[in-house]
Amino acid sequence: MCFEYCVYFLFYTVVSQASNYEKITLQNTPEENLRDDLRYYFMSPCEKYRARRHIPWKMGVQILKIIMVTTQLVLFGLNNQLVVSYKEENTMALKHLFLKGYSGVDEDDYSVAVYTKHDVYESLFYVMDQYSQLGQLSVGPISYAEDENGKLLPLTICKEYYRRGSVEPSDEIYDIDAQLETGMLFKLFTLHADIPFLNQTFRRFFRLVDIKITFQLKGINLQTVRSRELPDCYSFFVTITFDNQCHSGKVKLFLDIDAESSACRDWKISGTAQKNTHYLLVFDAFVILMCLTSAVLCTRSIILAVRLLQRFSRFFHENFNRKVCEDDQREFLNGWYLLVIVSDLFAIIGSILKMEIQAKNLTNYDVCSIFLGTSTLLVWVGVIRYLGYFQKYNVLILTMKAAFPKVLRFCCCAGMIYLGYTFCGWIVLGPYHEKFEGLSLVAECLFSLLNGDDMFTTFAQLKDKNTLVWLFSRAYLYSFISLFIYMVLSLFIALITDAYETIKSYQKNGFPQTDLQKFLHEPTELPNIEESDQTDVSVRHSVLCYCQWYDCSQQCCLFNI
């Protein structure tokens, strides 16, 4: 008897709940369902959780991703600093070893300059002599490079010169064949070979364009042991150039190094360096998995937003016979999701490159740094999206969104004037001022002047040998500073200030209502949840959230980017 009563009671309860739920469902028209879905779409993650106990997975993934990506960037940055410092210090050490008279400071873009034939010979012989004594001179773990058979790779000396020619400066007569030829002068295969005298080769310096000495060295970066990482083996391709292209009586000496890292053939190390490398590879794999999860969730949100936009557009077309305006369409296309997806792709590519570098399969730290740095930048910028749900923090986003079109058009117009000043300064002041020698240098110098930096130095460094150019430079600099600082920059700030004042006024008096906001703010007959205590829990939370969202934050979430 008791069992039958329990079965009857359960059956009655289920039927009663189904009847109540069906009654609520029938009361919601398609228009109300669409309005409820739109309101739920524009809620913040916390409001969605209060409404339907929907866990904010995307927000949790983004917070965890910020921590992991930033940690990955810091670890890679510390390792990259060791690599860069090792290459720079080796370059400096080799300059001191192979360049005679090197003072430790490069002059402009070259290291040393010689002015006599004797100095050219002495510098050339000095390189070969130092190379033959490298093992006794260098204090670092660096030595000669060998081929697969264990033979020493040679040091080669090549020259580039005009095919033929004769020059008589006193008679103002010259006869030059501009065709360049390259010839090998010398190869040093053994460390004890006699160094030949090359004076006869350079009797006619007016035909000589440059001399290049090339050789290869090997080194090991042992400083990574302190950071619990396996040391890298490096191959240094050294090129020493005697540049005589100007034929001005000044021969410039350059020393360039191209370093390539690789895994050492045989190694043995005590400690936890190898384990740390494995741990880093596992951590990078988790970063890739986290970024893939983030990209999938954001892609899913974009697809759902497009479907919701299609429902809203279909409803407007069927009921009002008109299309949804572009402003309302942009409300559904969340630019933050695209930003997150791009940052995820950059982080995945950067993590793969980082894993390849740690496995000694790649050596290009710069490309990996660009991907990891850009992804971290975009990830931190994406945090602003969650601050935008609060009205006080949302001012920056709304101001940037409102001012961006006007600022972009203004920059296009001002950029034309800026380019004009750039080309003019380069062609007129380039021969007389070191800051105007190239187009990129001119653009950087003018940008510094625009921000009020280094003004007096720019005026003072101009060579006053030509009075006409000196007068032109004053008119040029004064007009640029007056035009861009007092007019262009002031107008630029005024555009942003005007957008900020507009947003502040909207927040105080209310934002302009579009079709989407008018549709969302229309009152809806919501079911009375007090009629029955057995109403479905999810429906109850949804109704409560819609009421709360409509009363408290009806203007907060709709204007987020």
Side-chain angles (χ1 to χ4, degrees):
M1 184 68 180
C2 181
F3 176 75
E4 294 178 355
Y5 178 79
C6 291
V7 172
Y8 176 77
F9 178 76
L10 291 175
F11 177 77
Y12 177 80
T13 303
V14 172
V15 171
S16 177
Q17 289 181 351
S19 177
N20 292 331
Y21 180 77
E22 183 179 4
K23 184 185 300 182
I24 295 174
T25 305
L26 292 176
Q27 289 178 358
N28 289 336
T29 62
E31 177 182 351
E32 294 170 350
N33 290 331
L34 176 61
R35 184 179 289 111
D36 291 344
D37 291 341
L38 290 173
R39 288 175 177 172
Y40 184 79
Y41 173 75
F42 288 108
M43 286 181 181
S44 67
C46 296
E47 291 171 336
K48 290 181 180 179
Y49 177 76
R50 289 194 297 265
R52 299 180 181 177
R53 290 297 184 265
H54 183 272
I55 299 177
W57 294 107
K58 289 194 297 295
M59 184 177 68
V61 169
Q62 296 305 318
I63 294 175
L64 183 59
K65 188 179 70 173
I66 288 175
I67 299 174
M68 297 182 68
V69 170
T70 305
T71 303
Q72 182 190 45
L73 180 72
V74 172
L75 295 176
F76 181 77
L78 295 176
N79 187 29
N80 193 20
Q81 287 180 357
L82 296 179
V83 173
V84 172
S85 63
Y86 177 73
K87 292 180 180 180
E88 290 180 350
E89 292 180 7
N90 268 277
T91 301
M92 183 63 64
L94 294 179
K95 286 182 179 180
H96 280 280
L97 281 174
F98 294 105
L99 299 181
K100 185 177 181 180
Y102 181 65
S103 62
V105 179
D106 291 346
E107 302 178 15
D108 295 333
D109 56 344
Y110 58 91
S111 300
V112 180
V114 292
Y115 301 91
T116 64
K117 295 180 181 179
H118 180 267
D119 291 338
V120 173
Y121 301 146
E122 289 293 328
S123 299
L124 186 62
F125 297 149
Y126 184 80
V127 173
M128 292 186 288
D129 184 59
Q130 293 290 100
Y131 178 79
S132 63
Q133 304 179 55
L134 181 62
Q136 291 76 28
L137 296 177
S138 178
V139 297
I142 191 169
S143 62
Y144 306 102
E146 298 177 351
D147 58 11
E148 297 178 353
N149 299 324
K151 294 182 180 180
L152 182 70
L153 294 178
L155 176 146
T156 60
I157 303 176
C158 299
K159 72 170 182 177
E160 190 176 27
Y161 56 94
Y162 295 120
R163 178 179 297 175
R164 64 174 181 82
S166 62
V167 175
E168 295 294 339
S170 59
D171 298 332
E172 299 182 353
I173 298 174
Y174 66 89
D175 180 15
I176 292 293
D177 186 353
Q179 183 67 32
L180 294 178
E181 292 184 350
T182 302
M184 183 175 296
L185 300 177
F186 181 68
K187 271 191 176 183
L188 180 62
F189 287 96
T190 62
L191 302 180
H192 304 287
D194 294 332
I195 299 176
F197 292 99
L198 305 176
N199 302 45
Q200 299 297 325
T201 310
F202 306 124
R203 286 185 303 172
R204 300 177 179 179
F205 270 84
F206 62 86
R207 290 178 56 191
L208 180 66
V209 177
D210 62 46
I211 305 171
K212 289 187 178 179
I213 305 175
T214 58
F215 54 90
Q216 186 176 347
L217 301 174
K218 292 284 188 176
I220 301 177
N221 184 10
L222 295 178
Q223 63 176 334
T224 56
V225 176
R226 297 195 308 272
S227 58
R228 302 296 188 270
E229 294 185 10
L230 295 178
D232 294 330
C233 291
Y234 282 83
S235 297
F236 297 103
F237 301 89
V238 184
T239 302
I240 301 176
T241 304
F242 292 69
D243 186 5
N244 190 41
Q245 294 183 13
C246 291
H247 292 89
S248 60
K250 178 180 180 180
V251 178
K252 303 175 184 178
L253 273 66
F254 302 86
L255 189 146
D256 298 320
I257 293 180
D258 186 13
E260 293 183 0
S261 63
S262 60
C264 297
R265 296 179 182 178
D266 189 14
W267 53 269
K268 183 178 180 182
I269 185 173
S270 301
T272 59
Q274 187 177 6
K275 294 181 179 180
N276 287 343
T277 302
H278 293 163
Y279 292 152
L280 290 175
L281 291 175
V282 173
F283 179 75
D284 293 334
F286 274 108
V287 173
I288 294 176
L289 180 61
M290 186 62 60
C291 293
L292 285 174
T293 304
S294 173
V296 170
L297 291 177
C298 291
T299 304
R300 173 180 171 273
S301 298
I302 292 176
I303 296 174
L304 294 178
V306 171
R307 292 178 179 176
L308 189 59
L309 174 60
Q310 292 175 349
R311 287 179 55 192
F312 183 65
S313 300
R314 192 182 309 113
F315 173 82
F316 254 65
H317 180 71
E318 293 175 354
N319 293 271
F320 303 101
N321 196 22
R322 59 192 179 92
K323 296 182 179 180
V324 179
C325 64
E326 295 183 359
D327 292 337
D328 288 340
Q329 292 181 9
R330 283 193 292 268
E331 293 291 338
F332 292 89
L333 302 178
N334 197 325
W336 293 113
Y337 291 149
L338 298 177
L339 181 70
V340 171
I341 293 175
V342 172
S343 67
D344 291 335
L345 293 178
F346 276 58
I348 292 173
I349 297 174
S351 299
I352 294 175
L353 294 177
K354 181 175 179 291
M355 295 174 70
E356 290 294 322
I357 290 174
Q358 290 175 350
K360 312 306 178 185
N361 296 326
L362 291 178
T363 59
N364 198 333
Y365 281 79
D366 296 333
V367 176
C368 182
S369 300
I370 292 174
F371 279 105
L372 291 181
T374 306
S375 66
T376 307
L377 170 64
L378 297 179
V379 166
W380 279 99
V381 171
V383 178
I384 303 178
R385 171 176 179 262
Y386 299 102
L387 295 178
Y389 289 114
F390 304 96
Q391 187 174 3
K392 293 182 179 180
Y393 295 97
N394 203 26
V395 177
L396 174 61
I397 305 174
L398 298 180
T399 303
M400 292 175 60
K401 182 179 179 181
F404 183 76
K406 296 180 180 178
V407 169
L408 186 62
R409 290 191 293 267
F410 180 80
C411 289
C412 290
C413 297
M416 301 301 173
I417 307 175
Y418 191 86
L419 286 177
Y421 270 93
T422 300
F423 286 109
C424 179
W426 172 61
I427 194 63
V428 178
L429 304 181
Y432 303 94
H433 203 299
E434 61 180 10
K435 294 184 179 180
F436 292 83
E437 292 179 353
L439 285 175
S440 61
L441 291 176
V442 178
E444 295 166 2
C445 177
L446 294 181
F447 190 78
S448 298
L449 292 176
L450 174 62
N451 291 276
D453 181 33
D454 210 19
M455 284 192 179
F456 178 77
T457 306
T458 304
F459 279 94
Q461 286 183 350
L462 183 71
K463 302 174 183 178
D464 54 356
K465 295 181 179 180
N466 192 317
T467 305
L468 181 60
V469 174
W470 186 86
L471 293 175
F472 177 85
S473 67
R474 266 43 191 174
Y476 172 85
L477 293 175
Y478 279 122
S479 62
F480 175 82
I481 293 172
S482 301
L483 176 63
F484 274 84
I485 292 183
Y486 303 135
M487 184 178 295
V488 175
L489 190 59
S490 299
L491 292 175
F492 182 84
I493 297 174
L495 290 176
I496 301 177
T497 304
D498 180 67
Y500 174 77
E501 294 297 334
T502 303
I503 296 301
K504 292 291 290 183
S505 177
Y506 284 163
Q507 288 186 336
K508 182 178 180 180
N509 302 321
F511 287 86
Q513 295 290 309
T514 62
D515 293 335
L516 176 60
Q517 284 107 39
K518 291 178 181 178
F519 177 75
L520 289 176
H521 295 164
E522 289 180 1
T524 305
E525 285 188 21
L526 298 174
N528 188 2
I529 60 175
E530 296 179 355
E531 293 180 358
S532 176
D533 295 334
Q534 298 174 349
T535 306
D536 186 79
V537 176
S538 63
V539 178
R540 180 183 304 175
H541 283 298
S542 178
V543 171
L544 287 174
C545 180
Y546 293 154
C547 295
Q548 180 184 7
W549 183 86
Y550 177 76
D551 293 335
C552 302
S553 57
Q554 56 182 339
Q555 293 179 352
C556 178
C557 298
L558 291 179
F559 295 92
N560 293 313
I561 299 177

